[in-house]
Amino acid sequence: MWMQRFGGSASVIGRSVRLDGEVHEVIGVMPRSFAYPDTRPEIIMPLRLADNGRFEGFIMQGIARLKPGVTLEQARREHAAVIADLPARFPADLGLMQSLISDVELAPSSIPLKEYVLGTTGRMLWVLLGAVSIVLLIACTNVANLFLVRTDARQREVAVRRALGAGTADIGAYFMAETILVAVASGLIGLLLGYAAVQLLVLNGPVELPRMHEVRIDRNTIVFAAFASLMAGVVFGLMPLVRRLPPLSAVLQDASRGNTAGATRLRARQMLMASQVALAVVLLVGAGLMVKSVQRMWAVDPGFDPESRLVFSIGLPYSEYGSSMEAVTFHDLLLERLRSLPGVQNAAFTTMLPLDGDGEGDPLDVRGRVLGFDDLGPVVRYRRVSADYFTAMDIPLRKGRYLDSRDSDGSTRAVVINEALAELYFPGEDPLGRQVRKMAGDMGGEWMTIAGIVGNTPTYGLQENEPVAKMYFPPLSMGVVRVSSAHSAAYVVHTSGSPASLVPAVRRTLTELNPNIALARAEPLVRLVDRAGSRLAFTMVLLVIAASAAVLLGIIGVYAVISYAVAQRTSEIGLRLALGAQSADVTRMIVRQSGAVIAGGVIVGIAAAAGGARALQALLFGVQWNDLATYATASAGLFLVALLACWLPAKRAARATSGLQALFR
């Protein structure tokens, strides 16, 4: 903000800015990397609380820096002592305080800041790290297989060098020089590609991913890449020396015979080939589960229609709009202006949109039921909404009626509940006409009458397993105790055109009414829905990329190994054809032998995937980690593709050998 609004001027300190109608002094500029605990806040103001002696609910979050040597458990014990002292601190709300301690068993919820910021992201990052590690293992396995082939092909060269007096150290230095040069060059290319890939991912990644803006190729990344490259070069460079070499005379005599590779060497290459297939199956299963989860998530009905709708927020300063009546009057005037804009079909406002969080909430008291504070019901979330909110959002009416203009001033005491609340508080009953009130301290609000039941809408994200109970109040509900003020409101505008193109007209309309009120978070409602599922979709994309790379590397490895093995068996294939075998018979034999190795790799991969997929369960939605269809599709698909990679070199070798045989005839 310092750079954008004040041009980076050092004279910003001491400048006055007007926020919500009040003048504030700028006393400091934080570094660009500062997060509290995220990067969204651009202005930080001192918190002012009114001490009226009453309990205002759990509406604040705190950050505490522990003293040196103090553990989290010690801090929690101190917090528990504060909770135990609540009845003495709030004597006016004595009954509620005692109930919170004895019946609700209120306890500290202190957690490390890192855990709070990361949430489930930590598990997601570990899964992605595991996927990348598997790709690296497949690449190393591929290279190891190729180096084994290369070692076999260069046995004569090694034998000649040994015959000319080269020692083991000389040969090792020679091979390591080659491999380290290739490894370092590959590592450098990988870093350059990685830099471009990271920039692309950060640019297109979800903003909800904690500290996404800090992801970059740094010194630690470069050191790791250099270390991994050098280690790969050293390990693969020493391969010719690790293997037991045959006598010089045997190597020199066999060099011209074109014998097939020994059983031990062939078995080693087959094991590496099976390992590649197994690792690729693990990633394919994981990517398949994530793809199915994202498909299930996007298929979820959010309970409203996000298409062709613009949402934005405004905050009315208390200095200009001191009462709820004045705030609602301004909202009504703004709604009237918005509805008159070209292309606008409807407009409404609410204190909190779906997918925007829980907001204020308390248990309900149902008239006619004996309910004390020792038997509190489930917490219900509250929303203030204008008369046309449900039609503007296209939230379906299940029973009764919507709130309308008759209810706006609160005189009818009408409210609307969602299906989740009806099931929680009125199981097997008809809630219409029943009276409820919000609990607050030793006294509740005025009794409100349930006029209608609407469909559920998501509160935190599209992956909610259980919908949250909600109650919708008119903008002015004078009898309701401490429901969120209408000074902060989120608008939804239903338009027949592009929602984004409507922003300039909305900003101009708001400026005409009051130039001191800023337009905030203006965006199409579709984008809000997309962002709610962006973290899961982002994980899916990365896993699909990793799985695609794994399959590509695995198939290349299978093809290379089979091609080399077939080339080594040229004499055998020619002999079989000379004895009357057909080309198709030879091809089937090679594919059958290779298919057995691939099938073994697939079986091992399925078992490994079953163990690893359990770590994905917390990230999955609408699908279980042991989904048989995903396992079957991934394993069968990879098996068929790998068989194709075996069939191509076998077919080519059989055709070429058959052609040579016909030529010599």
Side-chain angles (χ1 to χ4, degrees):
M1 173 162 282
W2 179 42
M3 300 302 297
Q4 293 176 357
R5 296 295 183 92
F6 300 97
S9 172
S11 62
V12 68
I13 305 300
R15 291 271 297 273
S16 296
V17 295
R18 184 178 297 273
L19 302 173
D20 291 337
E22 297 184 359
V23 177
H24 298 264
E25 179 186 355
V26 178
I27 63 171
V29 178
M30 298 302 295
R32 185 183 298 272
S33 60
F34 177 75
Y36 186 74
D38 54 49
T39 58
R40 285 176 296 180
E42 296 180 332
I43 296 177
I44 301 173
M45 302 170 59
L47 179 64
R48 294 178 293 182
L49 295 175
D51 186 7
N52 56 9
R54 300 300 301 270
F55 180 71
E56 294 293 337
F58 303 101
I59 57 176
M60 299 293 175
Q61 290 180 313
I63 297 181
R65 182 174 182 177
L66 301 184
K67 293 180 180 179
V70 176
T71 66
L72 182 61
E73 289 303 319
Q74 290 176 309
R76 285 174 176 167
R77 285 196 293 269
E78 292 188 9
H79 296 167
V82 173
I83 293 175
D85 195 42
L86 285 178
R89 292 174 180 264
F90 298 99
D93 297 313
L94 183 62
L96 177 60
M97 296 299 99
Q98 291 176 340
S99 176
L100 288 175
I101 295 173
S102 61
D103 302 319
V104 181
E105 297 181 353
L106 187 66
S109 60
S110 311
I111 60 174
L113 180 61
K114 179 179 179 180
E115 180 181 330
Y116 170 80
V117 172
L118 289 180
T120 59
T121 305
R123 182 184 296 270
M124 180 192 75
L125 294 178
W126 280 112
V127 169
L128 293 177
L129 180 61
V132 172
S133 301
I134 290 177
V135 173
L136 181 59
L137 278 175
I138 294 176
C140 290
T141 304
N142 212 337
V143 174
N145 228 337
L146 294 176
F147 266 86
L148 284 176
V149 171
R150 184 170 177 267
T151 301
D152 289 338
R154 299 180 70 179
Q155 281 191 7
R156 178 176 173 81
E157 176 189 346
V158 174
V160 171
R161 290 180 178 275
R162 289 168 58 194
L164 294 176
T168 302
D170 298 324
I171 297 175
Y174 171 71
F175 281 110
M176 284 184 61
E178 287 184 341
T179 54
I180 289 178
L181 180 62
V182 174
V184 171
S186 302
L188 180 60
I189 296 174
L191 273 175
L192 294 177
L193 293 175
Y195 177 81
V198 166
Q199 298 299 315
L200 183 65
L201 289 175
V202 171
L203 184 63
N204 296 280
V207 296
E208 292 80 11
L209 200 64
R211 306 177 72 174
M212 184 71 175
H213 65 288
E214 298 180 27
V215 177
R216 63 188 182 277
I217 301 291
D218 58 7
R219 182 171 55 188
N220 294 331
T221 312
I222 296 173
V223 170
F224 171 79
F227 176 77
S229 301
L230 287 174
M231 286 300 299
V234 170
V235 171
F236 298 130
L238 292 177
M239 264 190 182
L241 305 181
V242 173
R243 302 186 64 184
R244 185 173 62 86
L245 297 176
L248 290 178
S249 58
V251 174
L252 296 176
Q253 289 174 4
D254 292 344
S256 62
R257 297 181 184 176
N259 290 342
T260 58
T264 303
R265 287 176 285 172
L266 183 60
R267 191 178 303 113
R269 288 196 291 269
Q270 289 176 340
M271 288 182 62
L272 289 173
M273 184 174 72
S275 300
Q276 288 178 293
V277 173
L279 291 171
V281 168
V282 173
L283 280 187
L284 268 183
V285 169
L289 291 173
M290 291 301 297
V291 169
K292 186 169 287 189
S293 294
V294 172
Q295 289 176 340
R296 298 280 174 86
M297 182 184 65
W298 292 133
V300 169
D301 180 11
F304 57 90
D305 185 4
E307 299 293 335
S308 303
R309 285 165 172 83
L310 175 73
V311 293
F312 62 89
S313 300
I314 63 172
L316 304 181
Y318 283 89
S319 58
E320 295 186 47
Y321 306 91
S323 65
S324 297
M325 178 68 74
E326 292 175 318
V328 172
T329 300
F330 177 85
H331 290 311
D332 289 338
L333 183 58
L334 179 57
L335 286 177
E336 182 181 346
R337 296 284 189 91
L338 292 176
R339 289 167 183 154
S340 65
L341 293 176
V344 173
Q345 299 183 18
N346 205 344
F349 73 88
T350 177
T351 49
M352 187 163 288
L353 289 168
L355 299 170
D356 237 6
D358 45 20
E360 185 179 351
D362 272 307
L364 284 181
D365 187 7
V366 181
R367 195 162 198 169
R369 294 183 184 174
V370 178
L371 180 66
F373 286 108
D374 58 343
D375 189 23
L376 297 176
V379 172
V380 173
R381 300 300 171 182
Y382 303 119
R383 306 284 190 268
R384 288 183 188 266
V385 297
S386 61
D388 291 333
Y389 171 73
F390 300 107
T391 53
M393 289 285 291
D394 198 16
I395 298 176
L397 179 68
R398 302 303 188 195
K399 203 170 185 180
R401 68 175 180 87
Y402 288 133
L403 296 175
D404 54 34
S405 56
R406 296 171 297 172
D407 311 306
S408 297
D409 61 358
S411 59
T412 62
R413 299 289 191 268
V415 294
V416 167
I417 64 175
N418 69 348
E419 292 176 291
L421 193 153
E423 293 175 3
L424 274 177
Y425 276 86
F426 305 96
E429 303 178 39
D430 184 5
L432 293 183
R434 300 292 296 271
Q435 290 188 315
V436 295
R437 65 178 179 180
K438 172 183 179 292
M439 286 187 173
D442 291 324
M443 56 175 292
E446 297 288 337
W447 291 107
M448 313 290 289
T449 302
I450 299 175
I453 305 173
V454 296
N456 298 320
T457 57
T459 306
Y460 311 99
L462 297 175
Q463 298 169 259
E464 291 177 0
N465 293 321
E466 296 292 337
V468 176
K470 295 189 183 76
M471 177 177 288
Y472 300 91
F473 295 91
L476 288 174
S477 297
M478 301 302 184
V480 182
V481 179
R482 294 200 294 271
V483 172
S484 300
S485 167
H487 283 72
S488 296
Y491 279 72
V492 54
V493 181
H494 185 195
T495 175
S496 57
S498 169
S501 64
L502 194 64
V503 174
V506 171
R507 181 175 283 109
R508 184 170 55 253
T509 301
L510 183 61
T511 302
E512 291 173 355
L513 289 178
N514 191 332
N516 295 324
I517 299 177
L519 185 70
R521 299 172 60 190
E523 60 181 348
L525 184 56
V526 172
R527 190 177 302 170
L528 184 65
V529 176
D530 291 343
R531 194 163 59 242
S534 59
R535 185 176 299 187
L536 184 63
F538 187 68
T539 307
M540 178 207 70
V541 169
L542 294 182
L543 275 181
V544 168
I545 292 174
S548 302
V551 171
L552 180 61
L553 289 173
I555 296 306
I556 290 175
V558 170
Y559 181 84
V561 170
I562 300 303
S563 296
Y564 178 77
V566 169
Q568 292 293 94
R569 300 175 65 179
T570 302
S571 300
E572 176 194 343
I573 294 174
L575 181 59
R576 288 179 180 273
L577 293 174
L579 293 176
Q582 300 297 318
S583 298
D585 298 329
V586 174
T587 302
R588 281 195 295 269
M589 177 194 69
I590 297 175
V591 171
R592 184 174 61 252
Q593 293 173 352
S594 304
V597 177
I598 295 171
V602 169
I603 293 173
V604 173
I606 291 175
R614 297 186 183 186
L616 277 176
Q617 188 59 61
L619 302 177
L620 300 179
F621 176 73
V623 60
Q624 294 298 316
W625 65 268
N626 55 355
D627 183 67
L628 293 179
T630 303
Y631 283 77
T633 303
S635 56
L638 183 59
F639 180 75
L640 293 176
V641 174
L643 277 185
L644 178 62
C646 297
W647 178 82
L648 290 175
K651 184 69 175 176
R652 185 177 65 248
R655 186 184 300 114
T657 307
S658 178
L660 286 174
Q661 187 182 27
L663 179 63
F664 283 108
R665 285 178 185 171

